[in-house]
Amino acid sequence: MRSTLFILAAVACLSARDVSPGTEVFAGSTLCGGIIRPLLNIPPEADCALVEWKLTLYRDPVTQKPSSYKLEAVHRFVVKATNMYSKPGTATSAEGKWIIIKGTKNDPEAIVYQLDPGIPQRQISLYKFSPDHLHVLDKNGALMIGDGSASYTLNRIP
């Protein structure tokens, strides 16, 4: 019986997420337009059609206030004559601090997560429109508009 309990405990530990309490992880895909490129440090000349995002937001374990973030992105181009995206793609990443601010251009009560990698032109603002969804804002604080293949919404990963 003791070995069965040990095995069950070990399996439970292996299946637990590798994320501490207070950490939020979001993922999604966006178009790779002129606004997104500088935010994710993608060169203007790079052949880029789609960006896959994984954003991890960390909070102070005691106060639960925002502390740091890690943004991992992979940008892909369309492979000619196949209508498919390139694999494996080109990976980029950014780290920095994040804060919560209030208000957007059209909603003074909106909750906005602002990512600061330490380079002002690469700050990213995300509108939190539900506990499970963040939407990328442009430099004027307006919602970015996607198309049929990609949006600018990041979804919480359970």
Side-chain angles (χ1 to χ4, degrees), residues 17-85:
R17 293 187 321 180
D18 187 24
V19 192
S20 62
T23 300
E24 300 175 77
V25 181
F26 293 87
S29 60
T30 67
L31 299 171
C32 187
I35 292 174
I36 295 298
R37 287 172 184 261
L39 298 178
L40 300 178
N41 198 25
I42 299 170
E45 68 279 358
D47 189 2
C48 179
L50 179 84
V51 178
E52 296 172 356
W53 301 56
K54 180 182 176 190
L55 173 63
T56 305
L57 301 169
Y58 301 97
R59 292 179 181 264
D60 181 279
V62 176
T63 66
Q64 290 301 301
K65 290 185 179 181
S67 62
S68 62
Y69 75 88
K70 181 172 184 177
L71 175 60
E72 300 166 274
V74 175
H75 64 272
R76 302 177 188 281
F77 60 89
V78 176
V79 178
K80 309 232 184 303
T82 67
N83 208 23
M84 301 294 289
Y85 292 111

Side-chain angles (χ1 to χ4, degrees), residues 104-134:
T104 65
K105 181 178 180 177
N106 297 317
D107 182 359
E109 298 300 313
I111 296 171
V112 176
Y113 290 2
Q114 189 172 65
L115 311 181
D116 183 2
I119 302 169
Q121 59 270 35
R122 291 194 188 145
Q123 282 187 344
I124 300 172
S125 294
L126 303 155
Y127 168 54
K128 183 179 181 181
F129 66 91
S130 85
D132 295 327
H133 301 95
L134 302 175

